[in-house]
């Protein structure tokens, strides 16, 4: 549905994209992740037909952005980093204007507006002026304008930036609700949010794809050992037996705590939580706590970014 | 055409939804009234035809300033508020964006002109006035305003802020205004060209006297279309430059 072939973009002498290539299949929700300046927004601007690439080609629904930008723009809904809202307009007036710009016929306008306001939870503020809305509602209106003509492809640039935790959850649920009906590509810095919403993640750095796949696939590509934190109750002998029975563990620290409890920190190449918990129970230990430490997505992405691309 | 009207309609409503539209309209009417009383009517006895001529002379200055003030925001403001992206990611061409914005401002400008019609109409009270002269004068103001709106629209497309756009439009209009001065110290064929390019002296003054020539109408239409097309090209180039 979305195809980026060897996309290159220069801003003067500064090269923002270095042959960016990826695919997004119909009905997928894909997250574009990368550091500031990685080229996420530039890629989305080119995909939305807002700017042209210096080299390379983009196809939306099989149509080249360079050859027929107008047809491509009719097939996308785009939310930039700052929602493009005319503050003096009402929500209804704005959505009508956006729908008419995207060739929605006058007769179908009311149905489109009703559906999108229900979908984005804007029914209560339909008559409000955009300038009077909260940041969360403004972001919803921004998403609504991208959806109002029911395009097959939705492009969202940092849709959760600047929102409070409750608003992030609401926007996340909204994006999830788009699954199957639309193909969604969105960028975000909030990595945990991206993996909760996306089928796949594309990690870009310095204008190139560095890794892509589902979260589990990306984890498999990571080689850095993970840390586990274990809290058990029992004798030290039983603890040693349990640890010995799990291959690949390396003990980092051990501390005896009150009431016969032991806090042990371990490193491990693969996720060994299941094996370790079983070993503890078989050794007669009381398993009080077992959790992964410092194996967050941020670390995973940093590791992938630090890896030599060649 | 549908997209042009859609954009024009939104922009036109925008003038009435914000303070700036009313402020420019009020300032235009107030200053036009003052200039009419001080300069056109004055304290000395005058023929009605001369009063109308002087009125259009001052009104042309007001029209140019008002047209620039109304138009400088058209693209520069959308750039500042980052709303232009809505139009640029919709299936709308740059030409439709520029013409839609131009028509909205021209319509609002026409309203400001119409609201000042009572000023020359006052001359009817004590004198005899040629309706043809008033019609020609207002047509001239409309054409002059259209040209200035197109110039300001180009400046708005070039500049990142409304202030810069206003200054840019002011410089371009001033250069076109004083072209006749440059013509006086030039030799042919440059002299003829500069005289023809002069925005006011060669083309508006005859109209304000009631002499409506096709060549003057064509001149203003040509200037308007030229600057609008330059604005279209400028917007199109953003897709490469950005």
């Amino acid at each position: 549905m979305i195809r980026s072939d060897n996309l290159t973009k220069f801003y003067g002498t500064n090269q923002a994209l270095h042959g960016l290539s990826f695919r997004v299949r119909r009905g997928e929700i894909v997250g574009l992740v990368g550091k500031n300046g990685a080229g996420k927004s530039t890629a989305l601007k080119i995909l939305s037909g807002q700017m042209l690439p210096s080299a390379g080609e983009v196809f939306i629904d099989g149509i080249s952005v360079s050859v027929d930008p107008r047809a491509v723009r009719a097939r996308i809904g785009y939310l930039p980093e700052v929602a493009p809202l005319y503050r003096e307009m009402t929500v209804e007036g704005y959505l009508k204007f956006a729908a008419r710009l995207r060739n929605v016929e006058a007769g179908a306008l009311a149905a489109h507006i009703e559906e999108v306001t229900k979908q984005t939870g804007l029914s209560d503020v339909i008559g409000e002026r955009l300038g009077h809305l909260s940041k969360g509602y403004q972001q919803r209106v921004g998403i609504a304008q991208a959806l109002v003509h029911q395009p097959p492809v939705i492009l969202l640039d940092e849709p959760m930036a600047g929102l409070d935790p409750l608003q992030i959850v609401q926007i996340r649920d909204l994006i999830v609700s788009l699954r199957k009906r639309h193909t969604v590509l969105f960028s975000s810095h909030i990595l945990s949010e991206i993996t909760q919403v996306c089928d796949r993640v594309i990690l870009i750095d310095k204008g190139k794809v560095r890794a892509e796949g589902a979260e589990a696939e990306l984890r498999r590509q990571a080689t850095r050992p993970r840390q586990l934190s274990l809290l058990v109750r029992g004798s030290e002998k039983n603890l040693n037996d349990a640890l010995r029975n799990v291959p690949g563990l390396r003990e980092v620290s051990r501390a005896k705590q009150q009431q016969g409890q032991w806090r042990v920190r371990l490193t491990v190449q693969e996720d060994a939580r299941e094996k370790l918990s079983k070993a503890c129970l078989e050794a007669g230990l009381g398993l009080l706590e077992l959790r992964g430490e410092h194996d967050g997505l941020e670390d995973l992405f940093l590791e992938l970014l630090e890896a030599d691309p060649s | 055409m549908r997209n042009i009207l859609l954009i024009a309609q939104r922009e036109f409503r925008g003038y009435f939804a914000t303070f700036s539209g009313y402020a420019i309209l009020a300032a235009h009417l107030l200053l036009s009234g003052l200039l009419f009383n001080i300069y056109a009517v004055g304290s000395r006895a005058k023929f009605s035809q001369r009063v109308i001529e002087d009125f259009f002379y001052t009104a042309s200055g007001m029209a140019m300033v008002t047209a620039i003030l109304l138009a400088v925001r058209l693209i520069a403001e959308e750039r500042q508020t980052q709303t232009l992206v809505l139009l640029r990611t919709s299936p709308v061409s740059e030409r439709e964006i520029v013409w839609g914005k131009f028509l909205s401002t021209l319509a609002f400008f026409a309203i400001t002109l119409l609201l000042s019609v009572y000023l020359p109409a006052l001359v009817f009270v004590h004198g005899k006035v040629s309706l043809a002269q008033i019609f020609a004068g207002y047509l001239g103001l409309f054409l002059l305003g259209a040209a200035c709106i197109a110039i300001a629209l180009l400046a708005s497309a070039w500049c990142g802020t409304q202030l810069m756009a206003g200054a840019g439009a002011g410089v371009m209009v001033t250069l076109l205004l004083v072209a006749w001065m440059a013509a006086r110290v030039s030799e042919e064929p440059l002299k003829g060209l500069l005289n023809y390019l002069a925005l006011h002296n060669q083309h508006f003054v005859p109209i304000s006297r009631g002499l409506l020539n096709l060549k003057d109408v064509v001149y203003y239409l040509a200037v308007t279309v030229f600057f609008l097309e330059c604005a279209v090209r400028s917007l199109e180039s953003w897709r490469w430059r950005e």
Side-chain angles (χ1 to χ4, degrees), chain A residues 162-225:
Chain A
L163 300 181
D164 66 37
L166 180 65
Q167 291 167 338
I168 287 174
V169 171
Q170 289 168 342
I171 297 294
R172 190 184 69 200
D173 292 346
L174 176 59
I175 294 171
V176 169
S177 74
L178 303 176
R179 197 185 298 276
K180 304 299 176 200
R181 289 179 64 190
H182 304 273
T183 303
V184 182
L185 177 65
F186 81 100
S187 69
S188 177
H189 285 108
I190 309 169
L191 301 170
S192 56
E193 293 299 336
I194 249 190
T195 48
Q196 283 181 54
V197 172
C198 295
D199 302 312
R200 277 195 306 127
V201 174
I202 297 171
L203 176 65
I204 68 171
D205 183 43
K206 294 173 187 160
K208 280 184 192 167
V209 173
R210 294 292 290 271
E212 66 178 301
E215 187 187 347
E217 289 172 52
L218 292 176
R219 284 191 187 283
R220 274 198 291 278
Q221 291 177 40
T223 53
R224 183 186 288 173

Side-chain angles (χ1 to χ4, degrees), chain A residues 86-99:
Chain A
Y86 296 107
R87 297 175 63 83
E88 75 280 4
M89 292 181 91
T90 63
V91 174
E92 187 178 17
Y94 175 75
L95 292 177
K96 275 183 182 168
F97 176 63

Side-chain angles (χ1 to χ4, degrees), chain B residues 51-78:
Chain B
V51 172
I52 297 296
E53 197 181 319
D54 288 345
F55 162 71
F56 281 124
Y57 188 77
T58 57
S60 64
M62 285 303 305
M64 286 187 278
V65 173
T66 301
I68 290 173
L69 289 176
L70 287 173
V72 285
R73 58 173 276 276
L74 287 173
I75 293 171
E77 186 185 46
E78 289 223 33

